[in-house]
Amino acid sequence: MKQDLNHVRNIGISAHIDSGKTTMTERILFYCGKIHKIEEVRGKGDGATMDHMELEKEKGITITSAATTVEWENHKINIIDTPGHVDFTIEVERSLRVLDGGIMILCSVGGVQSQSLTVDRQMKRYNIPRIAFINKMDRTGADPFSVKDQIVDKLKLNAEFISLPIGAEDDFKGIVDLIEMKAYYYDGENGETVRTEEIPDDLADKAKEYREILLDALTMFDDDLAEKVMEEAEITPADINPVIRKATIACEFVPVMLGSAFKNKGVQTALDAVLEYLPSPIDRKYKATEYKTEKEVEILPDPDKPLVAMAFKLTDEQFGQLTYTRIYQGTMRKGDSVINNRTGKKIRVSRIVRMFSNDRVDEDEASAGDIIAMLGVDCSTGDTFSDGQLNVAMESIFVPEPVISFAIEPKERKDVDQISKALNRFMREDPTFRVRVDEESAQTIISGMGELHLEIYVERIKREYKAEVVVGMPQVAYRERLGGTTAFDYKHKKQTGGSGQYGHVVGTFELLDDDAEVDYEFVDKITQGRIPREYIPAVDKGFRESIEKGPLCGYPVLGLKVTLKDGSYHDVDSSEMAFRAAAKGAFREFFLQSNPNVLEPIMSIEIETPMEYQGTVQGDLASRRGILTGQDTQGDNVVIRGEVPLKEMFGYSTEIRSKTQGKAGFSMEFLTYRKVPVAVQEALAEEARKKKEAGNKK
């Protein structure tokens, strides 16, 4: 049966760690009849439904995004519950890439926290319309009005309340709906019965005041509503809801709701808002790029048009690869053959399943607007599938660069094959997880987004592949950067009998702007055939290969602009290989003449600690070369924000717990690269020199 796309929603639930995303999803599953018993994230039972990995149950955190489908008020809602921890940010990134809308959850006490800023950036990157849900209204210190102000001030969003709390903390009873102007209470053992009452007398004036604020904000988006407000005419929900929907879908307005998922209050109202304000697939515009012409093609959510689908997440299983797929256009049927547009290979779709966390239900077909999984299909994250009629690629997923590395080796030689299998699988599943073999030490190096990220993978090797590994000290992903504009003039000449090699390049090395979106730029300014056109790509290739390992300490080079201005060639001895070698020689010699710098990753950190440990935490941060950037008081706690080099933060979670009797918590994420102190740079250069000498002796 053809589904009505107006009755489909594809949403994600995203937030800072510990804001209640998984708890919220658990309640949604319960109210939609998908589960019949609520499990808590850190409860005594089996753990939350969407946290299906053993490690997730043990640690009480979400590690991988999980998908499910529910029905609410005759609408189908595909939901993805994403991790909050910054180390697993790729899970949020790829989920948001294929979703049409989102619920951004904020803690009523913590407000806009460090990972909230990351989620906000990701939502803006993919133009995801959202509802803000201020959760944990039952917590001591709950202050939704402060949180709403932070949404406006810190996230720069046009946000207004569409509901107000009835009470707070232990006294939180329900919510006032500012559109219907009614009070909602959530009765029954699990809040399953929504009771509608008149607004309590003591909140009537406040509700009226905030409704006027809401209407005033909405007049910007609709002239008819503005006219009614000016004339002080009666304004009904039928006047307000379409305006909120239009402004929300345009990403120009964020409705703010509140509740307590843990206490079963406000979740059904949020589900109603998902249907009312977030877009269906029909409301979104999708673009793809034609492979040959690079023209933009509009993709329409029509099940009868040629198929276009995208793989956004892979997991390897006992019976083959499980490929999570969003279908943007057309229909995919079991037994069909589809084309992987990146490789051109034809693939048979043997099974289509609809995911429910770790369980699955077989489907015969899926069409535009669906999020499903294919079994046994060989592909990579971000691949676009078609039925052969459209050779296009959907916009790719943004993948952040790793910032930390561990050296690992098997404890016993018999485990080498198992570890190799595990690492290959993890690389296919997670684009932020990288593996390489160090040339000098012959060690296997794994790289990722943080200590926890890599520790989880090491733990998974032990559990899922029954292989023990020895982990070396963490290594920081340093970078090298040009010291300043430097001219180069380099001749590569070799005569070894027979035809020789000749390549001559002249130009400049410059720094790219800090906000440049690329790490390397090549500008060709050769005129009058000083270097034949066929050799220019070889020069570019030589520089590209050189920046992978800088001459100072062997780290990749960031932010380099190369301008090729002049040069010369030899009719017989010049070749692509000679000009590539000339570029490498010019880089090796002249890059060092610019007095280059080593850069280190700087992390943005947010620490929440009781007041009594404020001085201890700040002093400890300063001892780690950290800079304090601000702090806020939240009840008896203080939130300290700062910037600190990643190198100084290894093992910080253990130390901060011991210094605060386990009462402080922190989160951090990559912020930028900055110069290391001179002493650190000298030590790194010396270490690189010794490593090179040791390698040469071998």
Side-chain angles (χ1 to χ4, degrees):
M1 193 174 88
K2 202 169 173 180
Q3 66 179 353
D4 179 358
L5 287 177
N6 283 308
H7 284 206
V8 174
R9 299 288 182 275
N10 292 314
I11 65 162
I13 298 182
S14 312
H16 183 87
I17 190 167
D18 265 352
S19 294
K21 297 173 300 302
T22 303
T23 304
M24 179 82 164
T25 312
E26 191 79 0
R27 294 328 185 254
I28 289 172
L29 295 177
F30 179 76
Y31 297 132
C32 292
K34 271 284 180 184
I35 58 173
H36 304 291
K37 183 188 173 206
I38 293 172
E39 295 282 5
E40 302 305 342
V41 175
R42 293 183 177 87
K44 292 177 183 174
D46 296 330
T49 308
M50 301 298 271
D51 286 349
H52 56 79
M53 280 174 62
E54 282 303 317
L55 275 166
E56 292 180 313
K57 290 178 169 55
E58 274 178 33
K59 292 181 179 286
I61 59 170
T62 303
I63 293 168
T64 62
S65 52
T68 191
T69 302
V70 298
E71 290 207 0
W72 182 253
E73 303 292 345
N74 297 319
H75 284 67
K76 182 163 81 178
I77 308 176
N78 295 311
I79 301 172
I80 297 183
D81 171 33
T82 61
H85 202 289
V86 68
D87 286 23
F88 309 108
T89 192
I90 188 65
E91 291 289 330
V92 187
E93 195 77 47
R94 56 184 168 195
S95 299
L96 289 177
R97 169 65 192 81
V98 299
L99 293 169
D100 299 325
I103 301 176
M104 182 175 69
I105 298 184
L106 299 150
C107 173
S108 65
V109 180
V112 174
Q113 295 163 284
S114 57
Q115 187 66 1
S116 317
L117 297 166
T118 306
V119 167
D120 173 64
R121 271 199 307 274
Q122 291 169 321
M123 284 184 158
K124 284 172 179 167
R125 182 179 292 132
Y126 301 116
N127 292 318
I128 301 292
R130 72 187 91 169
I131 292 166
F133 185 85
I134 300 173
N135 194 24
K136 302 195 175 184
M137 279 301 301
D138 57 302
R139 264 189 73 184
T140 304
D143 185 354
F145 301 98
S146 165
V147 178
K148 199 279 283 184
D149 290 343
Q150 290 175 44
I151 294 172
V152 174
D153 298 337
K154 291 185 179 180
L155 304 183
K156 310 296 181 209
L157 295 170
N158 180 14
E160 293 296 347
F161 284 112
I162 61 169
S163 57
L164 292 180
I166 302 172
E169 302 181 349
D170 289 341
D171 197 35
F172 178 59
K173 295 186 177 74
I175 65 167
V176 171
D177 186 324
L178 296 177
I179 296 160
E180 299 281 351
M181 287 304 273
K182 294 285 184 190
Y184 295 142
Y185 300 90
Y186 303 86
D187 300 333
E189 191 182 337
N190 296 304
E192 57 269 48
T193 307
V194 182
R195 173 165 49 94
T196 307
E197 300 280 349
E198 292 304 314
I199 297 170
D201 292 342
D202 60 336
L203 282 174
D205 289 345
K206 195 172 190 178
K208 193 177 174 202
E209 176 197 342
Y210 274 89
R211 191 177 205 251
E212 284 171 5
I213 292 170
L214 172 65
L215 292 174
D216 190 48
L218 294 175
T219 55
M220 301 286 293
F221 306 106
D222 190 86
D223 292 340
D224 292 340
L225 184 64
E227 204 173 303
K228 281 194 172 186
V229 169
M230 283 179 68
E231 291 171 357
E232 296 184 4
E234 186 191 345
I235 295 168
T236 66
D239 297 319
I240 301 171
N241 282 331
V243 182
I244 295 179
R245 179 178 179 80
K246 181 175 74 173
T248 303
I249 290 173
C251 294
E252 292 175 357
F253 181 75
V254 177
V256 181
M257 312 182 72
L258 35 79
S260 168
F262 184 63
K263 295 291 184 182
N264 310 311
K265 289 179 170 60
V267 178
Q268 297 98 314
T269 317
L271 275 170
D272 290 338
V274 165
L275 307 189
E276 193 69 61
Y277 307 130
L278 291 184
S280 71
I282 291 171
D283 299 312
R284 298 276 284 160
K285 284 189 167 62
Y286 311 106
K287 293 273 193 301
T289 306
E290 228 280 335
Y291 266 106
K292 285 181 182 171
T293 63
E294 294 193 0
K295 279 185 184 172
E296 270 200 351
V297 180
E298 190 173 3
I299 302 298
L300 300 169
D302 183 339
D304 298 324
K305 285 192 173 292
L307 176 71
V308 177
M310 179 183 175
F312 67 93
K313 175 180 161 74
L314 316 175
T315 56
D316 266 340
E317 299 198 330
Q318 188 181 354
F319 302 110
Q321 183 171 292
L322 188 67
T323 304
Y324 287 78
T325 308
R326 164 76 195 258
I327 300 178
Y328 286 96
Q329 179 177 285
T331 300
M332 183 186 287
R333 293 176 182 84
K334 182 176 156 184
D336 279 0
S337 288
V338 296
I339 308 284
N340 181 335
N341 287 352
R342 180 180 61 84
T343 62
K345 285 184 181 173
K346 188 179 266 194
I347 301 157
R348 188 171 177 276
V349 182
S350 56
R351 271 182 81 188
I352 298 172
V353 294
R354 193 173 297 283
M355 298 304 295
F356 174 51
S357 185
N358 203 31
D359 298 326
R360 60 204 67 174
V361 176
D362 278 282
E363 299 277 356
D364 289 330
E365 66 176 46
S367 58
D370 269 331
I371 292 176
I372 48 90
M374 300 184 287
L375 274 161
V377 168
D378 185 31
C379 67
S380 300
T381 300
D383 281 357
T384 302
F385 299 101
S386 72
D387 54 9
Q389 295 185 58
L390 285 174
N391 189 23
V392 297
M394 296 299 291
E395 180 195 353
S396 62
I397 296 161
F398 173 79
V399 179
E401 285 297 310
V403 294
I404 185 172
S405 303
F406 287 172
I408 65 163
E409 56 184 66
K411 212 169 190 177
E412 298 178 33
R413 287 206 60 78
K414 66 180 177 63
D415 291 332
V416 169
D417 285 349
Q418 284 298 90
I419 292 168
S420 175
K421 269 185 202 170
L423 296 179
N424 281 324
R425 170 191 167 184
F426 297 152
M427 271 199 297
R428 285 168 66 83
E429 290 183 6
D430 181 353
T432 59
F433 179 76
R434 313 277 171 86
V435 180
R436 65 182 173 84
V437 176
D438 186 89
E439 288 172 24
E440 272 116 23
S441 65
Q443 284 181 306
T444 299
I445 309 293
I446 59 172
S447 306
M449 301 307 294
E451 276 187 281
L452 179 65
H453 188 206
L454 297 183
E455 282 166 8
I456 291 288
Y457 278 123
V458 168
E459 188 62 32
R460 285 182 66 187
I461 292 171
K462 290 177 186 173
R463 292 187 184 205
E464 296 171 29
Y465 290 85
K466 306 289 186 281
E468 290 289 328
V469 293
V470 179
V471 179
M473 280 293 290
Q475 301 167 346
V476 176
Y478 292 107
R479 295 289 184 264
E480 294 181 25
R481 190 174 171 92
L482 191 75
T485 302
T486 304
F488 63 83
D489 184 339
Y490 187 88
K491 258 180 201 165
H492 172 73
K493 284 173 83 172
K494 262 191 179 177
Q495 199 69 46
T496 51
S499 64
Q501 287 185 29
Y502 182 93
H504 178 208
V505 290
V506 179
T508 55
F509 295 137
E510 296 167 79
L511 285 166
L512 284 169
D513 293 338
D514 288 338
D515 57 356
E517 291 185 3
V518 291
D519 288 332
Y520 167 78
E521 187 183 328
F522 179 77
V523 180
D524 169 19
K525 286 197 173 173
I526 294 294
T527 55
Q528 299 173 341
R530 303 282 295 170
I531 298 175
R533 302 309 314 159
E534 64 265 27
Y535 298 145
I536 305 290
V539 177
D540 181 20
K541 190 173 183 185
F543 285 124
R544 277 184 191 277
E545 288 173 353
S546 298
I547 65 170
E548 289 173 11
K549 222 172 182 186
L552 188 60
C553 302
Y555 299 117
V557 174
L558 270 187
L560 182 70
K561 179 181 178 181
V562 179
T563 306
L564 184 64
K565 296 179 175 176
D566 201 357
S568 59
Y569 70 102
H570 187 279
D571 286 334
V572 176
D573 293 347
S574 285
S575 64
E576 285 186 10
M577 192 168 76
F579 273 98
R580 192 164 139 208
K584 287 185 171 183
F587 182 81
R588 196 167 47 244
E589 184 176 320
F590 290 91
F591 184 84
L592 286 171
Q593 289 181 18
S594 75
N595 296 319
N597 304 297
V598 173
L599 307 181
E600 64 183 340
I602 303 294
M603 310 302 282
S604 166
I605 188 167
E606 192 172 275
I607 309 155
E608 187 173 343
T609 178
M611 287 277 193
E612 62 199 277
Y613 299 111
Q614 182 179 348
T616 306
V617 169
Q618 287 180 342
D620 180 66
L621 209 56
S623 73
R624 296 170 186 272
R625 295 194 280 128
I627 302 164
L628 294 176
T629 57
Q631 62 183 49
D632 294 321
T633 305
Q634 290 178 355
D636 296 333
N637 286 355
V638 61
V639 176
I640 297 163
R641 289 185 297 280
E643 296 169 6
V644 61
L646 174 63
K647 182 180 187 295
E648 308 295 336
M649 295 305 288
F650 296 139
Y652 184 67
S653 55
T654 308
E655 284 199 38
I656 194 74
R657 282 192 201 109
S658 68
K659 284 188 160 98
T660 61
Q661 296 181 6
K663 292 176 184 174
F666 79 99
S667 64
M668 66 178 184
E669 64 174 321
F670 172 71
L671 177 68
T672 187
Y673 274 97
R674 285 195 196 129
K675 288 183 201 175
V676 299
V678 175
V680 175
Q681 178 160 324
E682 287 171 355
L684 289 169
E686 180 62 19
E687 190 184 314
R689 187 184 61 76
K690 285 180 180 172
K691 207 171 170 186
K692 198 170 184 181
E693 283 175 5
N696 290 339
K697 281 176 187 172
K698 283 181 185 178

